[in-house]
Every structure is written in structure tokens, then in C-alpha cells.
Amino acid sequence: MPDPIQTEQVFIVAPTGRDAELAAQVLAQAGIESRICAGLADLLASPVMDVGVLLVSEEAMGTPATLRGMEAWLAAQASWSDLPVVVLSRSGTPDRVAHLAQLLTAWLGNVMFLERPVRSFILASAVKAAVRARSLTMASLSFKNCV
């Protein structure tokens, strides 16, 4: 049976400033393949199974309606799948950050937050951990299908 995940590629959605380009450079230096999406519509046009890890800026998610679109896109993944989402959040008050974390975790599931400014080695480490977790999930699934 072929592996259902097509890639371990990290999709980056950070349409403002240079966040996407800088994140892609950091990941490339860490040996992680990435693809920059022009915006959320670009991401949502891609099959969820083609995405290994999603790295998204808080600003890219916009409104609750946008989040519902992401939630529907994530719901299209197989029941065994749990796409890791790494959110680059803006710094703010602890209450605002806690509220955002609670909201996004409820809507998106497997979410990790990195508050900006984030150091390069921390970004690379967090994304590597997410890629590794996704790979282990896939290896476990492949093993179960062989037994």
C-alpha cells in the first residue's frame, strides 16, 4: 500500500512582511523543504494530504470565517491524520495570547505556538519536531497496514 502522505513539505502561509521568506530560509538551512503559499486561499486549494506541516502567521488567519475555512480544510484529512500547525503569533498580553491559543487549538487541533520575535534555532527546532511527529505517525500507520 503506498504511503498516503505525499510529502513532508512544510507549507508556509505568512503573507505580510518578509516572514515567509525568512522562515523558508531558516528551514532550508535546517534541511527542511518548504513551500510558500501566497495566502490562505493558495493553501486551501492544496490537498491537505500534500502538507506535512503547516507554518502560519496569526495575521494570515484573519477572521473567524477564515478559521472556519481552515477547519473545513483540515476536516478533509483522513481520520488517522493530525496535521501539525505551527502558529507564529504576535506578542501581546498573556490573556490575549492564552485566549488565542485556546481558540485556535479548539478549531485547528494539533497546534504549537511560537511568539514573535522567534529565534531561528527555535523555529527550526519546533518545525523539525512537528515533521518528525508527522513522520512517526505515518511510519506507525504503514507498519499497522503491513501486519
Side-chain angles (χ1 to χ4, degrees), residues 75-89:
Q77 66 186 323
S79 61
W80 50 261
S81 181
D82 193 16
L83 177 69
V85 179
V86 179
V87 177
L88 297 174
S89 68

Side-chain angles (χ1 to χ4, degrees), residues 41-58:
D42 186 22
L43 170 73
L44 300 181
S46 302
V48 69
M49 294 309 294
D50 286 352
V51 182
V53 173
L54 173 58
L55 175 63
V56 61
S57 68
E58 179 182 339

Side-chain angles (χ1 to χ4, degrees), residues 66-145:
T66 305
L67 286 174
R68 283 190 286 280
M70 283 184 69
E71 182 181 36
W73 179 75
L74 287 168
Q77 66 186 323
S79 61
W80 50 261
S81 181
D82 193 16
L83 177 69
V85 179
V86 179
V87 177
L88 297 174
S89 68
R90 296 184 309 241
S91 61
T93 64
D95 289 342
R96 189 197 73 78
V97 174
H99 175 72
L100 177 68
Q102 183 179 17
L103 180 70
L104 292 181
T105 300
W107 273 343
L108 303 177
N110 185 7
V111 181
M112 177 187 313
F113 295 88
L114 297 176
E115 190 173 8
R116 290 178 284 186
V118 61
R119 293 179 178 262
S120 297
F121 74 91
I122 292 174
L123 175 62
S125 176
V127 172
K128 276 184 181 181
V131 168
R132 186 171 40 255
R134 183 79 157 161
S135 296
L136 290 173
T137 299
M138 294 312 307
S140 173
L141 177 68
S142 296
F143 178 75
K144 287 178 184 175
N145 287 335

